[in-house]
Amino acid sequence: MSSALDKQKMNQQEEEKSPILKSWHNVYALVIGVLLAVIVSLYLFTQHYR
Amino acid sequence: MSFIDWIILSITLLSIVGYGVWKSRHTKNIEGYLLADRQLPWYHVGLSVMATQASAITFLSAPGQGYTDGLRFVQFYFGLPLAMVVLCITFIPIFHKLNVFTAYEFLEKRFDNKTRTLTAFLFLLQRGLSTGITIYAPAIILSTILNIDINYTIILNGLIVIAYTVYGGSKAVSYTQLFQMSVIFAGLFLAAYMVVHLLPDNVSFSDALHIAGKMDKLNAIDTKFDVNNKYNIWSGIIGGFFLQLSYFGTDQSQVGRYLTGKSIAQSRLGLVMNGLVKIPMQFFILLIGVLVFTFYQFHQSPIFFNKVEVSSIQNSEYKDDFKELEKAYVIAHTEKQTEVNKLVEAIHSEDEQAINTARTNVQAADKKSNAIRKEATALMQKNNPKADVNDTNYIFLNFITTQLPIGVVGLLIAIIFLASMGSMASGLNSLASTTIIDFYKRLFKKEETDKSYLSASRWTTVIWGLFCIMVAFYASRVGNLIEAVNILGSLFYGTILGIFLVAFYMKRISGTAVFYAALIAEAFIVYAWITDLTAFLWLNVIGCLLVMGFAYCIQFIMNKRTVI
């Protein structure tokens, strides 16, 4: 019983491990950070050429 | 189109399609045919997801939209990265763990068969119509180039894609899309370079942006909140988030793409790639349209970009009136060009007062040109009430075929074809998957052999292909194609997303409650669209929230009755 739970836990950890940036949380933070940077850049772009 | 362009077009198309078909030659079972054996790496998944969304419409209609409406359409994609994050956290792990073929299979496991069937039916209706419109877009190109009736080109395009998808299935779709996107990116950079290169010597890239900006074309961000404004930052983030979440999370044409990933991590990375690349890519395509607009401030543009409609009025009783309008348009352009040159001088001298004066004059001259264009379209309608007076989809195509050098034309036309083939093939493949898995296998033939399901999948692809061709015949009446596809999606996606969100997050709601909630919500959305209650992007939010709200209320009433 305990071994099955351990295996399930290990699978879950394996799934949570991202091949880049150490964890999926960091990957999602990168995506949101890039989105914010793009919006700010486009806003400045619009203002500059207005 | 020259002989060399035809050669480049043919070689590009044949080599890429041939590669996809060759890679899929060992497809022998239903899992290989519908999901490429679930063995693809992340970059394959990411490019395939992007190629499915980027249809020919993206490369025909979006630059046209940049030309007429500026950059504001880019805001429509702001919700996409956020939707990718939610998909990675919630949808992908569940779909992978349940080992499903279609997203709707999950709904039967969570609710019941009627909810699964209703959702799959709404998807088939929406995707069948949308894929029909995507067949129409490249048919415009062939019709313009070969100068033949568009109905013949619709049939030709449709039959080629049907043949290729029927043979290769999902594996051929994915392998072809990998190379399609590489060629598409290369071609887009080439197109942007060529537009800038064709500007007058005294006009730099930065000057071109300044001119476009002074003519209100670089309106990438609009922070004003207005529910009736189609594109602002709020409708993009909130409405766009719901639309993209519905599209990528519940539309089988996309779910089928990332289910081909060989693990949860590979599927997730594919969607993350899409989240990072999509907005810059869309911005770039719109910017090409804006640059084409700047180009035509220095060069005479046709009064109307659709040559077929122009030729029709030139051979009618109104030909003299049209000729007069064309003359007036040329004079208006010459006047505008003088003002634009003054604006360039003012920009070079960095004199703010001169810039403002020149900008006012250029805008007034542009207004005059547009008024003449409007008169021309009114004349076309007078001549033929059924005339297609929206030429947005023809602007970029006209620019490619009349302004670009030999060789580049062939490559850019190939890109439009490739994009169209990628999204059409995914569409047909997903329609076949849903019909076979959610209807044929579930309701009619539960215990058939793999070979029998494979054969049925191929026949279903043919039938859906023919249906989409029929839809394409009527697509010319819908105006701007990219907007038409998004409006169509918004009519159904909100309801479908609502069903999935109830499934994921509202554990106490039963199948019966969500089923009736979805029916009521969909009826309201159709009513809201017919009565023009709000801008279409908000229909996604409203549909989704209505399903969740009604499902909660119906469940509450059902529970009370059970207690009584």
Side-chain angles (χ1 to χ4, degrees):
Chain A
M1 183 69 182
S2 158
S3 134
L5 276 175
D6 285 348
K7 202 175 170 188
Q8 200 180 349
K9 211 174 173 184
M10 264 175 66
N11 282 342
Q12 208 172 346
Q13 278 175 343
E14 193 62 33
E15 178 201 306
E16 284 304 315
K17 227 169 101 182
S18 164
I20 53 166
L21 300 175
K22 291 182 181 168
S23 79
W24 286 110
H25 286 104
N26 291 344
V27 176
Y28 303 147
L30 171 78
V31 174
I32 293 166
V34 169
L35 171 67
L36 289 175
V38 166
I39 291 175
V40 171
S41 307
L42 286 176
Y43 180 75
L44 295 174
F45 177 80
T46 304
Q47 296 303 316
H48 179 72
Y49 287 106
R50 178 171 276 180
Chain B
M1 226 168 63
S2 73
F3 180 69
I4 294 173
D5 287 320
W6 279 110
I7 297 280
I8 289 174
L9 172 66
S10 310
I11 290 174
T12 313
L13 293 184
L14 285 175
S15 53
I16 290 177
V17 172
Y19 174 76
V21 168
W22 179 70
K23 288 293 278 186
S24 62
R25 68 196 183 283
H26 298 307
T27 302
K28 293 279 185 288
N29 57 37
I30 190 85
E31 190 153 30
Y33 190 76
L34 298 181
L35 290 178
D37 293 322
R38 304 181 204 255
Q39 283 302 314
L40 300 183
W42 66 271
Y43 55 90
H44 235 307
V45 173
L47 287 173
S48 186
V49 161
M50 290 178 74
T52 298
Q53 193 179 25
S55 64
I57 296 170
T58 312
F59 300 101
L60 282 176
S61 205
Q65 196 146 7
Y67 182 102
T68 54
D69 207 22
L71 294 177
R72 69 189 191 120
F73 182 60
V74 75
Q75 298 169 108
F76 173 79
Y77 293 94
F78 285 173
L80 187 141
L82 301 175
M84 294 302 109
V85 170
V86 174
L87 287 167
C88 288
I89 294 170
T90 312
F91 288 61
I92 288 182
I94 291 178
F95 290 158
H96 264 278
K97 277 176 195 163
L98 293 175
N99 217 25
V100 292
F101 276 92
T102 72
Y104 319 111
E105 271 183 276
F106 158 71
L107 293 177
E108 184 170 2
K109 292 180 201 289
R110 166 66 179 83
F111 296 124
D112 51 29
N113 185 40
K114 67 175 181 297
T115 309
R116 171 186 179 176
T117 308
L118 171 70
T119 317
F121 173 75
L122 289 177
F123 163 73
L124 290 177
L125 188 64
Q126 185 274 126
R127 181 49 48 201
L129 295 172
S130 298
T131 307
I133 296 175
T134 61
I135 290 180
Y136 171 73
I140 297 173
I141 306 170
L142 265 186
S143 164
T144 309
I145 295 170
L146 301 175
N147 205 18
I148 56 172
D149 192 294
I150 195 158
N151 288 342
Y152 295 122
T153 53
I154 286 171
I155 293 170
L156 182 71
N157 275 321
L159 291 182
I160 290 171
V161 176
I162 290 170
Y164 144 69
T165 314
V166 166
Y167 177 80
S170 187
K171 208 178 262 183
V173 173
S174 291
Y175 276 98
T176 313
Q177 284 172 334
L178 186 72
F179 280 88
Q180 282 167 353
M181 285 311 287
S182 314
V183 178
I184 284 169
F185 281 130
L188 282 177
F189 279 107
L190 185 63
Y193 170 78
M194 289 308 302
V195 188
V196 176
H197 178 72
L198 289 170
L199 289 169
D201 290 339
N202 66 330
V203 180
S204 66
F205 175 62
S206 172
D207 292 337
L209 291 180
H210 273 291
I211 294 164
K214 303 293 178 273
M215 296 179 83
D216 293 332
K217 296 291 177 187
L218 298 186
N219 46 352
I221 301 284
D222 180 358
T223 51
K224 201 175 158 196
F225 183 83
D226 177 1
V227 286
N228 291 315
N229 181 358
K230 279 185 288 188
Y231 308 118
N232 59 46
I233 191 168
W234 310 112
S235 68
I237 291 178
I238 304 168
F241 167 75
F242 278 87
L243 176 61
Q244 307 293 350
L245 191 61
S246 321
Y247 174 54
F248 286 97
T250 70
D251 189 315
Q252 184 59 26
S253 69
Q254 283 296 359
V255 176
R257 296 297 93 216
Y258 56 76
L259 283 182
T260 58
K262 63 180 163 192
S263 66
I264 291 176
Q266 298 298 309
S267 295
R268 276 177 168 166
L269 283 180
L271 288 192
V272 164
M273 175 188 167
N274 185 39
L276 292 173
V277 178
K278 185 69 189 180
I279 297 174
M281 179 181 134
Q282 207 60 39
F283 169 79
F284 191 64
I285 296 170
L286 286 166
L287 190 64
I288 291 174
V290 170
L291 290 171
V292 171
F293 171 81
T294 315
F295 169 84
Y296 279 124
Q297 302 312 303
F298 297 98
H299 301 84
Q300 179 66 56
S301 66
I303 191 166
F304 197 71
F305 285 94
N306 182 348
K307 284 179 186 171
V308 177
E309 294 297 345
V310 170
S311 152
S312 164
I313 194 146
Q314 279 171 341
N315 293 311
S316 73
E317 57 178 306
Y318 297 104
K319 62 182 175 193
D320 293 331
D321 296 332
F322 188 72
K323 217 170 192 174
E324 284 305 311
L325 284 173
E326 277 187 314
K327 275 184 196 165
Y329 191 67
V330 171
I331 293 166
H333 172 76
T334 313
E335 286 169 12
K336 186 167 69 171
Q337 203 180 334
T338 311
E339 298 302 333
V340 173
N341 283 330
K342 282 182 192 167
L343 178 62
V344 174
E345 279 172 31
I347 290 167
H348 286 168
S349 67
E350 295 180 11
D351 179 349
E352 274 305 312
Q353 203 180 346
I355 290 173
N356 286 337
T357 310
R359 186 211 333 238
T360 311
N361 293 340
V362 168
Q363 284 179 346
D366 195 44
K367 220 173 174 181
K368 197 175 166 188
S369 288
N370 285 337
I372 298 169
R373 242 172 77 84
K374 228 173 181 176
E375 275 185 62
T377 53
L379 198 64
M380 286 172 184
Q381 250 173 342
K382 199 173 165 189
N383 174 48
N384 173 17
K386 287 181 177 176
D388 180 10
V389 292
N390 187 336
D391 63 348
T392 311
N393 304 317
Y394 295 85
I395 294 170
F396 190 51
L397 181 61
N398 192 290
F399 172 79
I400 291 173
T401 51
T402 58
Q403 306 293 337
L404 296 186
I406 291 171
V408 178
V409 177
L411 184 66
L412 290 178
I413 300 289
I415 284 172
I416 295 167
F417 267 99
L418 290 172
S420 141
M421 286 159 65
S423 53
M424 262 193 270
S426 289
L428 290 184
N429 191 249
S430 66
L431 287 165
S433 308
T434 308
T435 309
I436 293 299
I437 301 295
D438 296 299
F439 290 92
Y440 182 76
K441 192 177 174 188
R442 173 67 185 83
L443 302 175
F444 305 110
K445 304 268 183 184
K446 292 186 180 178
E447 301 296 332
E448 292 287 308
T449 62
D450 220 32
K451 204 176 165 187
S452 159
Y453 288 131
L454 183 61
S455 164
S457 299
R458 289 197 156 116
W459 277 111
T460 313
T461 309
V462 173
I463 294 165
W464 273 114
L466 296 176
F467 172 81
C468 293
I469 288 175
M470 298 298 290
V471 173
F473 288 147
Y474 295 95
S476 63
R477 298 281 165 264
V478 298
N480 183 306
L481 296 175
I482 198 160
E483 210 165 79
V485 169
N486 287 323
I487 290 173
L488 200 56
S490 299
L491 282 177
F492 299 99
Y493 281 150
T495 306
I496 297 177
L497 179 65
I499 295 171
F500 274 89
L501 290 187
V502 170
F504 289 136
Y505 299 114
M506 297 166 77
K507 302 286 183 200
R508 292 182 181 190
I509 306 290
S510 69
T512 302
V514 81
F515 177 80
Y516 288 111
L519 287 179
I520 299 167
E522 188 55 45
F524 180 82
I525 289 298
V526 172
Y527 167 77
W529 176 63
I530 291 169
T531 55
D532 217 4
L533 211 61
T534 180
F536 74 86
L537 264 177
W538 293 104
L539 296 178
N540 296 285
V541 188
I542 296 168
C544 178
L545 295 178
L546 281 181
V547 172
M548 295 172 86
F550 283 139
Y552 182 84
C553 294
I554 294 170
Q555 189 64 51
F556 182 76
I557 294 166
M558 283 167 61
N559 290 347
K560 277 223 155 174
R561 279 191 177 175
T562 314
V563 171
I564 288 165

